[in-house]
Amino acid sequence: MSFTTATPILTPSYSLSSLHSNRFNAAILSPIPLRRSFSSFARRRRNCPLIAAAATTTDVEIDMDVDSLKKGIAEFYDESSGLWENVWGEHMHHGFYDPDSSVSLSDHRAAQIRMIEETLRFAGVEAATAVVDVGCGIGGSSRYLARKFGAKCRGITLSPVQAKRAQAIAADAGLSDKVCFEVADALNQPFSDGEFDLVWSMESGEHMPDKSKFVSELVRVAAPGATIIIVTWCHRDLGPSEDSLQPWEHKLLQKICDGFYLPAWCSTADYVKLLESHGLQDVRTADWSRNVAPFWPAVIRSAFTWNGFSSLLRSGWKTIKGALVMPLMIEGFKKDLIKFAIITCRKPE
């Protein structure tokens, strides 16, 4: 989850014709063509560096739009992760609440743990031995899953600061033998085919400029019989007579994209079609928008505490400008445009 810069980004702007319909279209779900050569993210690299070297482009030129997006995401999280940890702790994602509940700040941290547990329950996961945490933040989910299941966990992030901090917390917790974090691209993961029996993506899918490639990589690294979990922000599914979102919906999402370093959104139905195109089984979805409703107002309130406000000022202008977009997320949820979705499935044996 992110509060990212309002600096204009070089991802494709929305046009009404480019907004995703519920009819599967791989080109739409791949709005920016990604090229595979990030030489510092070589796929078969088996070491676990705390901080990967900056990607080089000597072998193949990288599309600058994608490069700019990823650079912006990395820089935002480099700057803002300390603020988030200071105010909210190690889990950089929504909490799960009973609908219409009234909660305190301490309840929010418990709700973030509940989000993990509810996700596992919905997916029917009762054990895991090898986990990949795609978009790991500062490693909260990885460490939780390592403790819960005794699993080996690998986390990847675009942010060197996050990777270093995640490993440091793991060392302090005595989990260095269980978890490992590195800088890598979720669209070109540095893992072997079929390596993990639990593929975990907690609120990272919204940052992916190529949803088709994102899903393909999750499927590739999943072992036969593995569970794949995607918890992400989506726009609403389109109705049978709709070809696109409404103009006002388009405008609201564009403002959020401009503020949060997000490429084009897709719907839950789009994810389902992508997963089914890979022959995945037991595809299930749920809309948890009501269960996360208390979260964004609480984040905004936390910015008006002395600790939150002073931390926000220290984090820099990018984070401040991103914070100004947060009320638009609340508006999107209230108007049923934005959906907090969970999508789970199983790779065939």
Side-chain angles (χ1 to χ4, degrees), residues 94-98 108 110-112 114-116 118 121 288 291-292:
H94 283 72
F96 187 99
Y97 310 84
D98 294 324
H108 292 299
Q112 289 173 310
R114 185 180 175 189
M115 174 62 73
I116 297 174
E118 292 289 342
R121 179 195 59 76
W288 283 355
N291 298 102
V292 301

Side-chain angles (χ1 to χ4, degrees), residues 24-233:
F24 175 65
N25 184 328
I28 289 176
L29 289 171
S30 309
I32 304 176
L34 284 181
R35 302 179 187 177
R36 297 184 60 80
S37 68
F38 288 78
S39 58
S40 68
F41 298 160
R43 173 170 290 174
R44 295 297 179 261
R45 186 182 55 202
R46 305 310 305 147
N47 60 323
C48 186
L50 302 189
I51 296 298
T56 62
T57 62
T58 55
D59 46 355
V60 179
E61 181 184 0
I62 297 173
D63 186 291
M64 287 304 295
D65 290 347
V66 174
D67 194 39
S68 297
L69 175 64
K70 292 178 181 178
K71 183 175 183 288
I73 293 168
E75 288 178 349
F76 167 73
Y77 284 116
D78 282 349
E79 294 180 7
S80 65
S81 293
L83 161 64
W84 182 268
E85 183 183 1
N86 182 41
V87 176
W88 285 85
E90 64 177 326
H91 295 284
M92 300 184 69
H93 56 77
H94 283 72
F96 187 99
Y97 310 84
D98 294 324
D100 305 317
S101 60
S102 177
V103 290
S104 67
L105 182 59
S106 61
D107 294 326
H108 292 299
R109 295 197 181 192
Q112 289 173 310
I113 298 296
R114 185 180 175 189
M115 174 62 73
I116 297 174
E117 287 292 342
E118 292 289 342
T119 298
L120 294 170
R121 179 195 59 76
F122 182 85
V125 176
E126 297 180 350
T129 59
V131 179
V132 60
D133 185 356
V134 179
C136 62
I138 58 173
S141 290
S142 291
R143 289 185 295 273
Y144 187 89
L145 295 170
R147 291 189 187 99
K148 182 178 181 68
F149 296 130
K152 298 280 188 179
C153 299
R154 302 287 297 273
I156 58 174
T157 173
L158 290 175
S159 165
V161 170
Q162 285 189 335
K164 183 177 181 179
R165 179 59 183 152
Q167 201 69 45
I169 298 173
D172 291 342
L175 290 172
S176 295
D177 62 330
K178 290 289 188 183
V179 298
C180 181
F181 304 95
E182 60 186 295
V183 174
D185 179 8
L187 303 183
N188 188 19
Q189 297 182 33
F191 307 121
S192 301
D193 295 355
E195 190 164 338
F196 303 100
D197 59 3
L198 177 57
V199 177
W200 178 274
S201 172
M202 176 62 72
E203 296 189 56
S204 62
E206 53 270 15
H207 280 301
M208 305 300 167
D210 184 337
K211 301 297 193 289
S212 179
K213 178 59 177 170
F214 171 53
V215 168
S216 293
E217 278 293 271
L218 299 183
V219 175
R220 182 185 67 79
V221 301
T227 298
I228 299 173
I229 297 174
I230 303 169
V231 179
T232 190
W233 312 351

